[in-house]
CSV table of all heavy atoms in Angstrom, one decimal:
chain,number,residue,atom,x,y,z
A,335,LYS,N,61.1,116.1,108.5
A,335,LYS,CA,62.5,116.2,107.8
A,335,LYS,C,63.0,114.7,107.9
A,335,LYS,O,63.9,114.4,108.7
A,335,LYS,CB,63.4,117.1,108.6
A,335,LYS,CG,63.0,118.5,108.6
A,335,LYS,CD,63.7,119.4,107.6
A,335,LYS,CE,63.1,120.8,107.5
A,335,LYS,NZ,63.1,121.3,106.2
A,336,ASP,N,62.4,113.8,107.1
A,336,ASP,CA,62.7,112.4,107.2
A,336,ASP,C,64.1,112.0,106.7
A,336,ASP,O,64.5,112.5,105.7
A,336,ASP,CB,61.7,111.6,106.4
A,336,ASP,CG,60.2,111.8,106.9
A,336,ASP,OD1,60.1,112.5,108.0
A,336,ASP,OD2,59.3,111.4,106.3
A,337,ASN,N,64.7,111.1,107.4
A,337,ASN,CA,66.0,110.5,107.0
A,337,ASN,C,66.3,109.4,107.9
A,337,ASN,O,65.9,109.4,109.1
A,337,ASN,CB,67.1,111.5,106.9
A,337,ASN,CG,67.8,111.5,105.6
A,337,ASN,OD1,67.9,110.4,105.0
A,337,ASN,ND2,68.3,112.6,105.2
A,338,LEU,N,67.1,108.4,107.4
A,338,LEU,CA,67.6,107.4,108.3
A,338,LEU,C,68.6,108.1,109.3
A,338,LEU,O,69.2,109.1,108.9
A,338,LEU,CB,68.3,106.3,107.6
A,338,LEU,CG,67.4,105.4,106.7
A,338,LEU,CD1,68.2,104.5,105.8
A,338,LEU,CD2,66.4,104.7,107.5
A,339,LEU,N,68.7,107.6,110.5
A,339,LEU,CA,69.6,108.2,111.5
A,339,LEU,C,71.0,108.4,110.9
A,339,LEU,O,71.6,109.5,111.2
A,339,LEU,CB,69.7,107.2,112.7
A,339,LEU,CG,70.5,107.8,113.9
A,339,LEU,CD1,70.0,109.1,114.4
A,339,LEU,CD2,70.6,106.7,115.0
A,340,MET,N,71.5,107.5,110.2
A,340,MET,CA,72.8,107.6,109.6
A,340,MET,C,72.9,108.9,108.8
A,340,MET,O,74.0,109.5,108.7
A,340,MET,CB,73.0,106.4,108.6
A,340,MET,CG,74.3,106.2,108.1
A,340,MET,SD,75.1,104.6,108.5
A,340,MET,CE,73.8,103.4,108.1
A,341,ARG,N,71.9,109.3,108.1
A,341,ARG,CA,71.9,110.5,107.3
A,341,ARG,C,71.3,111.7,107.9
A,341,ARG,O,71.3,112.8,107.3
A,341,ARG,CB,71.3,110.2,105.9
A,341,ARG,CG,72.0,109.2,105.1
A,341,ARG,CD,71.6,109.2,103.7
A,341,ARG,NE,71.8,107.9,103.1
A,341,ARG,CZ,70.9,107.0,102.8
A,341,ARG,NH1,69.6,107.3,103.1
A,341,ARG,NH2,71.1,105.9,102.4
A,342,MET,N,70.7,111.6,109.1
A,342,MET,CA,70.0,112.7,109.7
A,342,MET,C,71.0,113.7,110.3
A,342,MET,O,71.8,113.3,111.1
A,342,MET,CB,69.0,112.2,110.7
A,342,MET,CG,68.1,113.3,111.3
A,342,MET,SD,66.9,112.6,112.5
A,342,MET,CE,65.8,111.6,111.4
A,343,ASN,N,70.9,115.0,110.0
A,343,ASN,CA,71.9,115.9,110.6
A,343,ASN,C,71.2,116.6,111.8
A,343,ASN,O,70.0,116.5,112.0
A,343,ASN,CB,72.5,116.9,109.6
A,343,ASN,CG,71.4,117.7,108.9
A,343,ASN,OD1,70.5,118.1,109.6
A,343,ASN,ND2,71.6,118.0,107.6
A,344,GLU,N,72.1,117.3,112.5
A,344,GLU,CA,71.6,117.9,113.8
A,344,GLU,C,70.5,118.9,113.5
A,344,GLU,O,69.5,119.0,114.3
A,344,GLU,CB,72.8,118.6,114.5
A,344,GLU,CG,72.5,119.1,115.8
A,344,GLU,CD,73.6,119.9,116.5
A,344,GLU,OE1,74.7,120.0,115.8
A,344,GLU,OE2,73.5,120.3,117.6
A,346,ASP,N,68.3,119.0,111.1
A,346,ASP,CA,67.0,118.3,110.8
A,346,ASP,C,66.3,117.8,112.1
A,346,ASP,O,65.1,117.7,112.2
A,346,ASP,CB,67.2,117.1,109.9
A,346,ASP,CG,67.5,117.6,108.5
A,346,ASP,OD1,67.4,118.8,108.2
A,346,ASP,OD2,68.0,116.7,107.7
A,347,PHE,N,67.2,117.4,113.1
A,347,PHE,CA,66.6,116.9,114.3
A,347,PHE,C,66.1,118.1,115.1
A,347,PHE,O,64.9,118.1,115.5
A,347,PHE,CB,67.7,116.2,115.2
A,347,PHE,CG,67.1,115.5,116.4
A,347,PHE,CD1,66.5,114.2,116.3
A,347,PHE,CD2,67.1,116.2,117.6
A,347,PHE,CE1,65.9,113.6,117.4
A,347,PHE,CE2,66.5,115.6,118.7
A,347,PHE,CZ,66.0,114.3,118.6
A,389,ASN,N,58.8,104.8,113.7
A,389,ASN,CA,58.8,104.6,112.2
A,389,ASN,C,60.2,104.8,111.7
A,389,ASN,O,60.9,105.8,112.0
A,389,ASN,CB,57.9,105.6,111.5
A,389,ASN,CG,57.5,105.1,110.1
A,389,ASN,OD1,57.6,104.0,109.8
A,389,ASN,ND2,57.2,106.1,109.3
A,390,ALA,N,60.7,103.8,111.0
A,390,ALA,CA,62.1,103.9,110.4
A,390,ALA,C,62.1,105.1,109.5
A,390,ALA,O,61.2,105.3,108.7
A,390,ALA,CB,62.4,102.6,109.6
A,391,GLY,N,63.2,105.9,109.6
A,391,GLY,CA,63.4,107.1,108.8
A,391,GLY,C,62.7,108.3,109.4
A,391,GLY,O,62.7,109.4,108.7
A,392,GLN,N,62.1,108.2,110.5
A,392,GLN,CA,61.4,109.3,111.1
A,392,GLN,C,61.8,109.4,112.6
A,392,GLN,O,60.9,109.8,113.4
A,392,GLN,CB,59.9,109.2,111.0
A,392,GLN,CG,59.4,109.4,109.5
A,392,GLN,CD,57.9,109.7,109.5
A,392,GLN,OE1,57.1,108.9,110.0
A,392,GLN,NE2,57.5,110.8,108.9
A,393,ALA,N,63.0,109.2,113.0
A,393,ALA,CA,63.4,109.2,114.4
A,393,ALA,C,63.1,110.6,115.0
A,393,ALA,O,62.6,110.7,116.2
A,393,ALA,CB,64.8,108.8,114.6
A,394,ASN,N,63.4,111.6,114.3
A,394,ASN,CA,63.2,113.0,114.8
A,394,ASN,C,61.7,113.3,115.0
A,394,ASN,O,61.2,113.7,116.0
A,394,ASN,CB,63.8,114.0,113.9
A,394,ASN,CG,63.5,113.9,112.4
A,394,ASN,OD1,62.8,113.0,112.0
A,394,ASN,ND2,64.0,114.8,111.6
Side-chain angles (χ1 to χ4, degrees):
K335 297 259 173 217
D336 299 351
N337 230 326
L338 294 172
L339 182 61
M340 191 121 49
R341 295 199 204 102
M342 188 178 288
N343 62 37
E344 186 183 1
D346 289 347
F347 189 84
N389 196 23
Q392 290 197 303
N394 51 358

